[in-house]
Amino acid sequence: MEQADVIIIGSGIAALQLIGNLRRDLNVIVLTKSQVKTSNSFLAQGGVAAAVGADDNPYDHYKDTMEAGRGINDHEAVIQLTKQAPSVIHALIEGGCDLDRHPQGELKLGREGAHSSNRIVHGGGDQTGRRIVDCLLKKVGPNVRVKEHEFVYQLLTDEQGCCYGVRSKHPGGTVKSYLAPRVVLANGGCGQVYAATSNAETVTGDGLVLGYLAGAELIDMEFVQFHPTLLSVAGNIKGLISEAVRGEGACLTDEEGTPIMKGVHPLGDLAPRHIVAQTIYDHLRQGGEVLLDISSIANFARKFPAVTRLCESNGIAMEKGKIPVAPGCHFLMGGIRTDAAGRTTVKGLYAIGEMACTGVHGANRLASNSLLEGLVYGKRLADHINHQSKKIICSKAPRVMEENRELSLPSIKEIQHSMMERVGIMRTKNGLKLQKEWLESYPVPENLDALSITQLSQLFMLITANLITTSALARKESRGGHFRTDYPFERPEWQHKHIQLHKNRKQGEIYESINAPAFT
Ligand code: SIN
């Protein structure tokens, strides 16, 4: 049984930023279920939003973030995020990260949906995530033990409910326990719960479920962002076509070449994502095709090397200038509720990155605010931990209970397709109720030790799907990433309400309450 001062689950940008900023005398274990570079962060094409332009300022970035989030963001959290954004960019540059610049030397600033200024910083054109990850990985010191292919399936908590370690499973079936007084969840969102997604294959809601099963409170789980433009080949999703492409002038059209966003929103093709995604979805449902016309963009392949590679490897003739697109799940705004330092409601347990709900995104995340959030909150949590004294763990890992239980679970495909159909871009009370009943017809076992990694993944996706569905059923309005056709408008009485979820310990079911919590 290995021990450390800090255990970090996940290896995306938030985790790497935390690692790079932690004191070097702290012993750190990083556990990742795949390889270090298999993360959404590594795939990120969009950049980092920051008011670093001469005619920009954090207050405008704040206003755009609040507008995209439809006003239910936590004001203070957004103010702090947008104020700290420029310093995060400068720290990256000082740390040797090569960000895109004009020939004269100043940073190149791109535009994305719902931003009122050019304020997106990129690296390698559309390879920003990869560039930042590579740079942060260089800062991993000898105090950090990275363990790949370790699927964490349980958080260990003592009688007081404090988290003191984790239990993980290796593909060969070996179960290991790792102990630490501080455990950080940094293993991303849950895009794979949906049939159409931009997310890496590994992003299946594990962190959300680990926190939930350990008693942490979750919030805003109904707010799921669907990215408007994923490459769609013969009805199959192949990857992301960055919004930066529309920022450079690409236009969404129908098969006849008629622009579909004209007259829908004043920002046209760069309207907030939920509006563009809903418009495309409507069009596709009526049997049409939606194309991204890139013919107005000079030097496309040089500006967007990753998008070009993706399209060419999927047989798209780039010289025709039309990319077939469809929307798909991209980002979860809700998640495990945390305070400004990343503390969850469980002592000893922290969450950063997409699975954390810090209050900054509200009902819909502004483009390129997610890498930013990971960088800001990774650094903040490091500062918080660095200021604390080392702690000793008194508890021991409990015995592994190998129980040979037959478990019936739906297939991953069944979960993904039913979520897309009933809890996707357009939701109805009936669809949501049907989905909840179906998901709850599969009981969640108490003891997870005997399950295989495949069964654990299915189970975690099932629980994540239920958390989203429960919240979506409870919010009786439409707002940002949550659209209900039976309540198609924002309702003022919901403006300050949040759906909170936690596990009902006695009955093992989801307990939900509607509240107006103050994020701190
Ligand atoms: C994109 O490049 O369109 C995605 C960026 C983001 O989601 O922030």
Side-chain angles (χ1 to χ4, degrees), residues 462-476:
L462 184 86
I463 298 173
T464 305
N466 200 1
L467 292 166
I468 299 172
T469 307
T470 303
S471 300
L473 194 54
R475 182 170 284 275
K476 295 183 177 53

Side-chain angles (χ1 to χ4, degrees), residues 43 81 111 155 171 191 207 223 271 289 294 297 422 467 485:
L43 294 179
L81 180 85
R111 184 74 159 248
L155 300 179
F223 296 123
E289 208 190 344
I294 57 165
I297 305 177
R422 298 175 182 155
L467 292 166
T485 51

Side-chain angles (χ1 to χ4, degrees), residues 183-376:
V183 175
V184 182
L185 295 169
N187 43 348
C190 61
Q192 285 292 335
V193 163
Y194 287 91
T197 180
S198 61
N199 285 198
E201 258 183 36
T202 46
V203 184
T204 49
D206 307 342
L208 299 160
V209 176
L210 289 170
Y212 166 73
L213 293 177
E217 188 177 295
L218 286 89
I219 192 162
D220 288 354
M221 287 293 290
E222 67 277 30
F223 296 123
V224 177
Q225 183 177 86
F226 288 84
H227 196 290
T229 56
L230 307 189
L231 174 63
S232 169
V233 181
N236 297 314
I237 295 301
K238 299 292 181 185
L240 179 72
I241 307 294
S242 176
E243 196 161 86
V245 175
R246 275 174 286 135
E248 280 288 309
C251 165
L252 289 159
T253 74
D254 62 14
E255 48 287 286
E256 249 86 69
T258 312
I260 61 163
M261 288 308 297
K262 211 166 160 200
V264 175
H265 188 278
L267 290 172
D269 288 287
L270 289 176
R273 283 188 183 163
H274 62 286
I275 295 174
V276 186
Q278 283 158 15
T279 310
I280 297 178
Y281 183 74
D282 246 353
H283 200 83
L284 295 176
R285 266 200 324 175
Q286 287 160 29
E289 208 190 344
V290 176
L291 300 158
L292 187 61
D293 185 336
I294 57 165
S295 52
S296 65
I297 305 177
N299 302 318
F300 187 88
R302 190 164 50 73
K303 286 181 184 151
F304 299 104
V307 170
T308 305
R309 272 197 306 274
L310 174 73
C311 290
E312 285 178 349
S313 64
N314 283 289
I316 306 296
M318 295 303 275
E319 63 286 0
K320 292 197 177 145
K322 293 190 191 323
I323 304 175
V325 292
C329 177
H330 185 55
F331 189 85
L332 175 71
M333 274 67 74
I336 297 181
R337 186 177 171 198
T338 67
D339 67 5
R343 280 178 291 213
T344 72
T345 52
V346 170
K347 208 154 176 257
L349 182 66
Y350 303 81
I352 47 174
E354 186 172 341
M355 120 254 308
C357 185
T358 59
V360 298
H361 303 306
N364 201 10
R365 175 178 62 84
L366 183 68
S368 286
N369 267 354
S370 56
L371 293 184
L372 173 64
E373 185 190 29
L375 290 165
V376 167

Side-chain angles (χ1 to χ4, degrees), residues 389-402:
S389 50
K390 284 196 171 203
K391 280 191 196 161
I392 312 284
I393 317 144
C394 309
S395 308
K396 283 202 199 97
R399 246 172 6 104
V400 174
M401 309 280 283
E402 284 289 342

